[in-house]
PDB file of all heavy atoms in Angstrom:
ATOM      1  N   GLY A   2      86.951 -39.649  12.279  1.00  0.00           N
ATOM      2  CA  GLY A   2      86.329 -38.910  11.183  1.00  0.00           C
ATOM      3  C   GLY A   2      86.121 -37.457  11.559  1.00  0.00           C
ATOM      4  O   GLY A   2      86.687 -36.951  12.524  1.00  0.00           O
ATOM      5  N   PRO A   3      85.287 -36.808  10.791  1.00  0.00           N
ATOM      6  CA  PRO A   3      85.017 -35.398  11.078  1.00  0.00           C
ATOM      7  C   PRO A   3      84.293 -35.243  12.415  1.00  0.00           C
ATOM      8  O   PRO A   3      83.539 -36.122  12.829  1.00  0.00           O
ATOM      9  CB  PRO A   3      84.115 -34.960   9.914  1.00  0.00           C
ATOM     10  CG  PRO A   3      83.556 -36.218   9.354  1.00  0.00           C
ATOM     11  CD  PRO A   3      84.550 -37.305   9.655  1.00  0.00           C
ATOM     12  N   LEU A   5      81.599 -34.182  14.945  1.00  0.00           N
ATOM     13  CA  LEU A   5      80.160 -33.965  14.852  1.00  0.00           C
ATOM     14  C   LEU A   5      79.761 -32.819  15.775  1.00  0.00           C
ATOM     15  O   LEU A   5      80.335 -32.660  16.855  1.00  0.00           O
ATOM     16  CB  LEU A   5      79.407 -35.230  15.254  1.00  0.00           C
ATOM     17  CG  LEU A   5      79.650 -36.457  14.384  1.00  0.00           C
ATOM     18  CD1 LEU A   5      78.949 -37.673  14.965  1.00  0.00           C
ATOM     19  CD2 LEU A   5      79.174 -36.203  12.965  1.00  0.00           C
ATOM     20  N   PRO A   8      74.691 -32.197  20.265  1.00  0.00           N
ATOM     21  CA  PRO A   8      73.247 -32.317  20.063  1.00  0.00           C
ATOM     22  C   PRO A   8      72.552 -30.957  20.184  1.00  0.00           C
ATOM     23  O   PRO A   8      73.054 -30.040  20.850  1.00  0.00           O
ATOM     24  CB  PRO A   8      72.792 -33.249  21.198  1.00  0.00           C
ATOM     25  CG  PRO A   8      74.027 -33.887  21.723  1.00  0.00           C
ATOM     26  CD  PRO A   8      75.175 -32.991  21.383  1.00  0.00           C
ATOM     27  N   ALA A   9      71.378 -30.848  19.569  1.00  0.00           N
ATOM     28  CA  ALA A   9      70.632 -29.588  19.569  1.00  0.00           C
ATOM     29  C   ALA A   9      70.356 -29.081  20.978  1.00  0.00           C
ATOM     30  O   ALA A   9      70.445 -27.878  21.239  1.00  0.00           O
ATOM     31  CB  ALA A   9      69.326 -29.747  18.800  1.00  0.00           C
ATOM     32  N   ARG A  12      73.387 -27.350  22.165  1.00  0.00           N
ATOM     33  CA  ARG A  12      73.586 -26.067  21.469  1.00  0.00           C
ATOM     34  C   ARG A  12      72.615 -25.017  22.005  1.00  0.00           C
ATOM     35  O   ARG A  12      72.994 -23.858  22.195  1.00  0.00           O
ATOM     36  CB  ARG A  12      73.422 -26.250  19.958  1.00  0.00           C
ATOM     37  CG  ARG A  12      74.495 -27.127  19.340  1.00  0.00           C
ATOM     38  CD  ARG A  12      74.501 -27.113  17.815  1.00  0.00           C
ATOM     39  NE  ARG A  12      73.221 -27.394  17.194  1.00  0.00           N
ATOM     40  CZ  ARG A  12      72.790 -28.607  16.860  1.00  0.00           C
ATOM     41  NH1 ARG A  12      73.531 -29.681  17.118  1.00  0.00           N
ATOM     42  NH2 ARG A  12      71.608 -28.755  16.258  1.00  0.00           N
ATOM     43  N   ASP A  15      73.824 -23.823  25.385  1.00  0.00           N
ATOM     44  CA  ASP A  15      74.962 -22.918  25.226  1.00  0.00           C
ATOM     45  C   ASP A  15      74.505 -21.532  24.771  1.00  0.00           C
ATOM     46  O   ASP A  15      74.988 -20.512  25.276  1.00  0.00           O
ATOM     47  CB  ASP A  15      75.969 -23.478  24.218  1.00  0.00           C
ATOM     48  CG  ASP A  15      76.728 -24.689  24.740  1.00  0.00           C
ATOM     49  OD1 ASP A  15      76.711 -24.929  25.964  1.00  0.00           O
ATOM     50  OD2 ASP A  15      77.332 -25.397  23.909  1.00  0.00           O
ATOM     51  N   ALA A  16      73.567 -21.484  23.829  1.00  0.00           N
ATOM     52  CA  ALA A  16      73.059 -20.201  23.332  1.00  0.00           C
ATOM     53  C   ALA A  16      72.331 -19.452  24.457  1.00  0.00           C
ATOM     54  O   ALA A  16      72.519 -18.245  24.629  1.00  0.00           O
ATOM     55  CB  ALA A  16      72.132 -20.414  22.140  1.00  0.00           C
ATOM     56  N   HIS A  22      74.493 -14.632  30.130  1.00  0.00           N
ATOM     57  CA  HIS A  22      75.756 -13.989  30.498  1.00  0.00           C
ATOM     58  C   HIS A  22      75.770 -12.523  30.046  1.00  0.00           C
ATOM     59  O   HIS A  22      76.135 -11.633  30.818  1.00  0.00           O
ATOM     60  CB  HIS A  22      76.939 -14.743  29.890  1.00  0.00           C
ATOM     61  CG  HIS A  22      78.240 -14.032  30.051  1.00  0.00           C
ATOM     62  ND1 HIS A  22      78.937 -14.014  31.241  1.00  0.00           N
ATOM     63  CD2 HIS A  22      78.961 -13.283  29.180  1.00  0.00           C
ATOM     64  CE1 HIS A  22      80.033 -13.282  31.089  1.00  0.00           C
ATOM     65  NE2 HIS A  22      80.074 -12.839  29.843  1.00  0.00           N
ATOM     66  N   ARG A  26      75.876  -9.341  32.496  1.00  0.00           N
ATOM     67  CA  ARG A  26      77.064  -8.494  32.417  1.00  0.00           C
ATOM     68  C   ARG A  26      76.749  -7.072  31.957  1.00  0.00           C
ATOM     69  O   ARG A  26      77.335  -6.103  32.447  1.00  0.00           O
ATOM     70  CB  ARG A  26      78.064  -9.120  31.445  1.00  0.00           C
ATOM     71  CG  ARG A  26      79.365  -8.375  31.358  1.00  0.00           C
ATOM     72  CD  ARG A  26      80.414  -9.221  30.675  1.00  0.00           C
ATOM     73  NE  ARG A  26      81.681  -8.524  30.702  1.00  0.00           N
ATOM     74  CZ  ARG A  26      82.306  -8.095  29.615  1.00  0.00           C
ATOM     75  NH1 ARG A  26      81.808  -8.316  28.430  1.00  0.00           N
ATOM     76  NH2 ARG A  26      83.448  -7.472  29.726  1.00  0.00           N
ATOM     77  N   MET A  27      75.807  -6.940  31.012  1.00  0.00           N
ATOM     78  CA  MET A  27      75.585  -5.646  30.377  1.00  0.00           C
ATOM     79  C   MET A  27      74.244  -5.004  30.725  1.00  0.00           C
ATOM     80  O   MET A  27      74.004  -3.869  30.341  1.00  0.00           O
ATOM     81  CB  MET A  27      75.685  -5.811  28.861  1.00  0.00           C
ATOM     82  CG  MET A  27      77.001  -6.396  28.398  1.00  0.00           C
ATOM     83  SD  MET A  27      77.049  -6.658  26.619  1.00  0.00           S
ATOM     84  CE  MET A  27      77.570  -5.015  26.114  1.00  0.00           C
ATOM     85  N   GLY A  32      72.503  -5.759  26.841  1.00  0.00           N
ATOM     86  CA  GLY A  32      72.784  -7.176  26.652  1.00  0.00           C
ATOM     87  C   GLY A  32      72.033  -7.754  25.464  1.00  0.00           C
ATOM     88  O   GLY A  32      72.602  -8.488  24.656  1.00  0.00           O
ATOM     89  N   LEU A  33      70.733  -7.423  25.359  1.00  0.00           N
ATOM     90  CA  LEU A  33      69.963  -7.904  24.201  1.00  0.00           C
ATOM     91  C   LEU A  33      70.500  -7.317  22.909  1.00  0.00           C
ATOM     92  O   LEU A  33      70.615  -8.015  21.897  1.00  0.00           O
ATOM     93  CB  LEU A  33      68.482  -7.553  24.360  1.00  0.00           C
ATOM     94  CG  LEU A  33      67.673  -8.478  25.246  1.00  0.00           C
ATOM     95  CD1 LEU A  33      66.270  -7.914  25.453  1.00  0.00           C
ATOM     96  CD2 LEU A  33      67.604  -9.876  24.671  1.00  0.00           C
ATOM     97  N   ARG A  34      70.828  -6.063  22.952  1.00  0.00           N
ATOM     98  CA  ARG A  34      71.349  -5.422  21.738  1.00  0.00           C
ATOM     99  C   ARG A  34      72.660  -6.078  21.292  1.00  0.00           C
ATOM    100  O   ARG A  34      72.855  -6.375  20.121  1.00  0.00           O
ATOM    101  CB  ARG A  34      71.532  -3.933  21.985  1.00  0.00           C
ATOM    102  CG  ARG A  34      71.926  -3.189  20.755  1.00  0.00           C
ATOM    103  CD  ARG A  34      71.990  -1.709  21.019  1.00  0.00           C
ATOM    104  NE  ARG A  34      72.315  -1.048  19.781  1.00  0.00           N
ATOM    105  CZ  ARG A  34      71.825   0.090  19.400  1.00  0.00           C
ATOM    106  NH1 ARG A  34      70.987   0.737  20.165  1.00  0.00           N
ATOM    107  NH2 ARG A  34      72.172   0.617  18.256  1.00  0.00           N
ATOM    108  N   ARG A  37      72.318  -9.689  19.690  1.00  0.00           N
ATOM    109  CA  ARG A  37      71.597  -9.872  18.428  1.00  0.00           C
ATOM    110  C   ARG A  37      72.388 -10.626  17.362  1.00  0.00           C
ATOM    111  O   ARG A  37      71.887 -11.567  16.761  1.00  0.00           O
ATOM    112  CB  ARG A  37      71.125  -8.524  17.883  1.00  0.00           C
ATOM    113  CG  ARG A  37      69.985  -7.975  18.685  1.00  0.00           C
ATOM    114  CD  ARG A  37      69.560  -6.622  18.192  1.00  0.00           C
ATOM    115  NE  ARG A  37      68.444  -6.160  19.012  1.00  0.00           N
ATOM    116  CZ  ARG A  37      68.013  -4.922  19.038  1.00  0.00           C
ATOM    117  NH1 ARG A  37      68.591  -4.003  18.276  1.00  0.00           N
ATOM    118  NH2 ARG A  37      66.999  -4.588  19.802  1.00  0.00           N
ATOM    119  N   LYS A  38      73.611 -10.211  17.114  1.00  0.00           N
ATOM    120  CA  LYS A  38      74.374 -10.863  16.046  1.00  0.00           C
ATOM    121  C   LYS A  38      74.684 -12.320  16.401  1.00  0.00           C
ATOM    122  O   LYS A  38      74.682 -13.191  15.536  1.00  0.00           O
ATOM    123  CB  LYS A  38      75.651 -10.092  15.723  1.00  0.00           C
ATOM    124  CG  LYS A  38      76.651 -10.030  16.851  1.00  0.00           C
ATOM    125  CD  LYS A  38      77.850  -9.183  16.497  1.00  0.00           C
ATOM    126  CE  LYS A  38      78.730  -9.015  17.732  1.00  0.00           C
ATOM    127  NZ  LYS A  38      79.703  -7.981  17.565  1.00  0.00           N
ATOM    128  N   LEU A  40      72.819 -14.286  18.462  1.00  0.00           N
ATOM    129  CA  LEU A  40      71.570 -15.034  18.398  1.00  0.00           C
ATOM    130  C   LEU A  40      71.183 -15.319  16.950  1.00  0.00           C
ATOM    131  O   LEU A  40      70.734 -16.419  16.627  1.00  0.00           O
ATOM    132  CB  LEU A  40      70.454 -14.256  19.103  1.00  0.00           C
ATOM    133  CG  LEU A  40      70.661 -14.023  20.609  1.00  0.00           C
ATOM    134  CD1 LEU A  40      69.547 -13.140  21.153  1.00  0.00           C
ATOM    135  CD2 LEU A  40      70.752 -15.334  21.367  1.00  0.00           C
ATOM    136  N   GLU A  47      70.796 -23.277  12.797  1.00  0.00           N
ATOM    137  CA  GLU A  47      69.751 -24.273  13.021  1.00  0.00           C
ATOM    138  C   GLU A  47      68.748 -24.343  11.878  1.00  0.00           C
ATOM    139  O   GLU A  47      67.900 -25.218  11.851  1.00  0.00           O
ATOM    140  CB  GLU A  47      69.005 -23.998  14.331  1.00  0.00           C
ATOM    141  CG  GLU A  47      69.876 -24.110  15.564  1.00  0.00           C
ATOM    142  CD  GLU A  47      70.555 -25.467  15.708  1.00  0.00           C
ATOM    143  OE1 GLU A  47      69.921 -26.507  15.412  1.00  0.00           O
ATOM    144  OE2 GLU A  47      71.727 -25.488  16.121  1.00  0.00           O
ATOM    145  N   GLY A  48      68.816 -23.401  10.950  1.00  0.00           N
ATOM    146  CA  GLY A  48      67.880 -23.397   9.834  1.00  0.00           C
ATOM    147  C   GLY A  48      66.520 -22.826  10.189  1.00  0.00           C
ATOM    148  O   GLY A  48      65.525 -23.137   9.554  1.00  0.00           O
ATOM    149  N   ALA A  49      66.486 -21.970  11.200  1.00  0.00           N
ATOM    150  CA  ALA A  49      65.216 -21.365  11.628  1.00  0.00           C
ATOM    151  C   ALA A  49      64.686 -20.423  10.545  1.00  0.00           C
ATOM    152  O   ALA A  49      65.461 -19.829   9.801  1.00  0.00           O
ATOM    153  CB  ALA A  49      65.415 -20.601  12.930  1.00  0.00           C
ATOM    154  N   PRO A  50      63.379 -20.291  10.464  1.00  0.00           N
ATOM    155  CA  PRO A  50      62.784 -19.382   9.484  1.00  0.00           C
ATOM    156  C   PRO A  50      63.215 -17.931   9.714  1.00  0.00           C
ATOM    157  O   PRO A  50      63.488 -17.523  10.843  1.00  0.00           O
ATOM    158  CB  PRO A  50      61.278 -19.525   9.707  1.00  0.00           C
ATOM    159  CG  PRO A  50      61.102 -20.780  10.478  1.00  0.00           C
ATOM    160  CD  PRO A  50      62.365 -20.996  11.237  1.00  0.00           C
ATOM    161  N   THR A  59      64.919  -8.533  17.298  1.00  0.00           N
ATOM    162  CA  THR A  59      64.255  -7.253  17.561  1.00  0.00           C
ATOM    163  C   THR A  59      63.522  -7.217  18.895  1.00  0.00           C
ATOM    164  O   THR A  59      63.047  -6.157  19.295  1.00  0.00           O
ATOM    165  CB  THR A  59      63.260  -6.899  16.429  1.00  0.00           C
ATOM    166  OG1 THR A  59      62.295  -7.935  16.308  1.00  0.00           O
ATOM    167  CG2 THR A  59      63.988  -6.680  15.117  1.00  0.00           C
ATOM    168  N   THR A  60      63.422  -8.345  19.574  1.00  0.00           N
ATOM    169  CA  THR A  60      62.718  -8.353  20.851  1.00  0.00           C
ATOM    170  C   THR A  60      63.481  -7.533  21.892  1.00  0.00           C
ATOM    171  O   THR A  60      64.706  -7.433  21.853  1.00  0.00           O
ATOM    172  CB  THR A  60      62.482  -9.779  21.378  1.00  0.00           C
ATOM    173  OG1 THR A  60      61.648  -9.688  22.538  1.00  0.00           O
ATOM    174  CG2 THR A  60      63.774 -10.477  21.747  1.00  0.00           C
ATOM    175  N   TYR A  74      65.370 -24.137  18.084  1.00  0.00           N
ATOM    176  CA  TYR A  74      66.022 -25.432  18.264  1.00  0.00           C
ATOM    177  C   TYR A  74      65.024 -26.583  18.299  1.00  0.00           C
ATOM    178  O   TYR A  74      65.417 -27.736  18.481  1.00  0.00           O
ATOM    179  CB  TYR A  74      66.870 -25.431  19.542  1.00  0.00           C
ATOM    180  CG  TYR A  74      68.137 -24.630  19.380  1.00  0.00           C
ATOM    181  CD1 TYR A  74      68.150 -23.250  19.555  1.00  0.00           C
ATOM    182  CD2 TYR A  74      69.322 -25.249  19.025  1.00  0.00           C
ATOM    183  CE1 TYR A  74      69.314 -22.518  19.387  1.00  0.00           C
ATOM    184  CE2 TYR A  74      70.497 -24.529  18.850  1.00  0.00           C
ATOM    185  CZ  TYR A  74      70.473 -23.166  19.038  1.00  0.00           C
ATOM    186  OH  TYR A  74      71.628 -22.449  18.874  1.00  0.00           O
ATOM    187  N   ARG A  79      62.157 -26.993  12.742  1.00  0.00           N
ATOM    188  CA  ARG A  79      63.194 -27.104  11.700  1.00  0.00           C
ATOM    189  C   ARG A  79      62.665 -27.896  10.518  1.00  0.00           C
ATOM    190  O   ARG A  79      62.957 -27.574   9.373  1.00  0.00           O
ATOM    191  CB  ARG A  79      64.448 -27.764  12.276  1.00  0.00           C
ATOM    192  CG  ARG A  79      65.246 -26.848  13.162  1.00  0.00           C
ATOM    193  CD  ARG A  79      66.647 -27.339  13.375  1.00  0.00           C
ATOM    194  NE  ARG A  79      66.741 -28.709  13.803  1.00  0.00           N
ATOM    195  CZ  ARG A  79      66.745 -29.115  15.069  1.00  0.00           C
ATOM    196  NH1 ARG A  79      66.635 -28.237  16.040  1.00  0.00           N
ATOM    197  NH2 ARG A  79      66.853 -30.393  15.362  1.00  0.00           N
TER     198      ARG A  79
END
Side-chain angles (χ1 to χ4, degrees):
L5 298 175
R12 294 191 308 270
D15 289 344
H22 171 77
R26 184 165 185 245
M27 303 177 85
L33 279 173
R34 186 176 182 142
R37 287 177 180 165
K38 64 184 173 194
L40 297 175
E47 296 303 321
T59 58
T60 187
Y74 286 84
R79 285 198 309 270

